[in-house]
């Protein structure tokens, strides 16, 4: 069995991992990358985004962490960032794959009935009403995305949120067994950071909240996310700052306070160190980029 530390991390399958734009979405079919995988996608993970994969035809074997399922269409999965997954299918199979950045998923979470921090795999009957709705919605997602410059991020996010909520209605976690202890602890840590990153907790608070030890928590963070606990917290604060800078008109000082920085100068130094630009310059550049798109 491949060691977790040796599992490759990709942007989309076959492409090196890279920093994602805030609000990133990507849609394609599995067979658009057939020349890279020939139906056999080796275990891999995506450090910064989750994926919905909807198998609308065919069958195969799907792997999530240390579990393997045989499936036939229709089937759908949601895999959060840093969860190892892969599959084997023949050339008669195909799926729509929707990749969604972590910050976009967090923005969607209040409107979504599905828990977005654990893997899901579901299958059903092609003529069942819920599956017909999912098929229609994901066809709309593909059509909207391929509209290019005319595609609307809001429309795409809304359609995807409905799909995720329908997945909860169809079966929630779908029988996914508990992951390894390190992966389970890593996912619990991410949930705790999402709830408390604004509070600037020391690492010891997370150790106490999760009833573990500093060594085990650090090991889980490095095993699952390739980061220390402290870096995970700082990256979460940076992600929220970028989201607020891009999608709101709130003052920079107000955004700094929102993510736990009472001193505006300290927030600006933190942001410049991790993003390479001041908050104001980053906002201007990304406003220009999104306006040009």
């Amino acid at each position: 069995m491949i060691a977790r530390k040796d599992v490759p991390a990709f942007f989309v399958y076959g492409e090196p991992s890279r920093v994602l734009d805030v609000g990133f979405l990507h849609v394609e079919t599995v067979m658009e990358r057939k020349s890279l995988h020939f139906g056999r996608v080796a275990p891999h993970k995506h450090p910064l985004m989750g994926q919905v994969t909807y198998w609308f035809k065919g069958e195969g074997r799907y792997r999530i962490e240390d579990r393997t399922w045989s499936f036939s269409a229709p089937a759908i999965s949601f895999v959060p960032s840093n969860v190892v997954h892969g599959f084997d299918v023949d050339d008669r199979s195909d799926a729509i794959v929707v990749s969604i950045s972590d910050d976009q998923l967090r923005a969607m979470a209040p409107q979504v009935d599905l828990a977005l921090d654990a893997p899901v795999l579901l299958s059903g009957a092609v003529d069942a009403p819920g599956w017909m709705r999912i098929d229609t919605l994901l066809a709309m997602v593909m059509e909207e995305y391929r509209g290019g410059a005319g595609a609307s991020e809001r429309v795409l996010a809304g359609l995807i949120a409905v799909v995720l909520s329908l997945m909860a209605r169809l079966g929630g976690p779908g029988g996914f067994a508990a992951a390894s202890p390190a992966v389970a602890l890593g996912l619990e840590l991410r949930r705790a950071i999402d709830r408390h990153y604004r509070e600037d907790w020391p690492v010891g608070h997370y150790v106490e909240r999760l009833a573990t030890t500093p060594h085990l928590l650090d090991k889980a963070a490095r095993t699952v996310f390739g980061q220390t606990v402290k870096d995970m917290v700082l990256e979460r604060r940076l992600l929220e700052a970028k989201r607020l800078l891009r999608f709101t008109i709130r003052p920079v000082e107000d955004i700094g306070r929102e993510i736990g920085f009472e001193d505006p100068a300290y927030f600006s130094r933190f942001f410049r160190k991790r993003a390479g630009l001041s908050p104001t310059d980053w906002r201007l550049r990304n406003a220009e980029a999104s306006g040009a798109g």
Side-chain angles (χ1 to χ4, degrees):
M1 181 177 177
I2 188 169
R4 189 179 179 89
K5 65 182 176 61
D6 298 323
V7 171
F10 293 130
F11 160 51
V12 290
Y13 189 77
E15 297 185 24
S17 182
R18 63 173 175 82
V19 175
L20 302 182
D21 295 333
V22 174
F24 172 85
L25 285 168
H26 180 270
V27 186
E28 66 179 6
T29 66
V30 163
M31 288 306 168
E32 286 179 67
R33 291 182 181 266
K34 181 180 177 181
S35 62
L36 294 177
H37 56 66
F38 300 100
R40 183 177 179 84
V41 169
H44 65 285
K45 60 184 178 180
H46 306 284
L48 301 167
M49 66 187 186
Q51 285 187 326
V52 174
T53 304
Y54 169 58
W55 295 95
F56 56 87
K57 66 176 182 178
E59 58 186 18
R61 289 165 58 82
Y62 205 94
R63 298 182 295 279
I64 301 177
E65 291 293 344
D66 56 356
R67 287 285 308 279
T68 301
W69 293 264
S70 295
F71 72 88
S72 58
I76 191 167
S77 66
F78 172 73
V79 177
S81 60
N82 286 290
V83 170
V84 178
H85 59 288
F87 55 81
D88 298 309
V89 296
D90 60 30
D91 58 9
R92 294 168 294 180
S93 302
D94 206 356
I96 295 172
V97 182
V98 182
S99 302
I100 316 149
S101 63
D102 280 348
D103 72 282
Q104 182 73 282
L105 285 168
R106 288 179 178 114
M108 288 181 185
Q111 288 78 47
V112 170
D113 294 332
L114 187 73
L116 300 179
D117 51 13
V120 177
L121 179 65
L122 303 166
S123 59
V126 68
D127 57 350
W131 287 96
M132 293 170 67
R133 293 188 189 107
I134 283 177
D135 187 271
T136 299
L137 287 163
L138 285 169
M140 292 170 66
V141 167
M142 179 66 81
E143 181 179 0
E144 180 72 17
Y145 183 82
R146 287 181 170 169
S152 165
E153 290 182 3
R154 288 175 181 250
V155 170
L156 284 166
L159 291 169
I160 294 163
V162 176
V163 169
L164 290 166
S165 289
L166 284 174
M167 289 175 66
R169 185 180 299 177
L170 287 171
F176 184 77
S180 69
V183 173
L185 182 56
L187 296 177
E188 284 289 337
L189 171 62
R190 178 161 61 182
R191 284 192 284 271
I193 289 172
D194 279 344
R195 289 191 294 268
H196 300 290
Y197 69 92
R198 293 179 177 88
E199 300 166 43
D200 198 23
W201 279 8
V203 173
H205 273 38
Y206 289 101
V207 172
E208 293 173 9
R209 175 58 61 96
L210 299 175
T212 185
T213 68
H215 171 73
L216 289 176
L217 195 61
D218 183 68
K219 180 180 178 181
R222 292 177 186 275
T223 296
V224 182
F225 301 104
Q227 295 179 301
T228 65
V229 178
K230 183 177 180 180
D231 277 335
M232 285 181 65
V233 174
L234 293 176
E235 282 300 304
R236 179 65 182 93
R237 298 172 92 181
L238 179 67
L239 268 177
E240 188 67 13
K242 286 180 175 179
R243 188 181 72 81
L244 294 171
L245 286 165
R246 182 177 179 192
F247 297 116
T248 76
I249 59 171
R250 293 168 64 177
V252 169
E253 295 81 0
D254 186 37
I255 290 171
R257 284 191 292 272
E258 172 72 16
I259 65 168
F261 292 92
E262 292 298 328
D263 182 349
Y266 184 30
F267 170 58
S268 290
R269 289 195 299 273
F270 157 80
F271 193 95
R272 183 186 292 274
K273 180 179 179 181
R274 301 191 82 88
L277 293 169
S278 72
T280 300
D281 288 344
W282 189 94
R283 169 179 264 172
L284 288 171
R285 175 175 293 186
N286 283 272
E288 291 168 1
S290 62

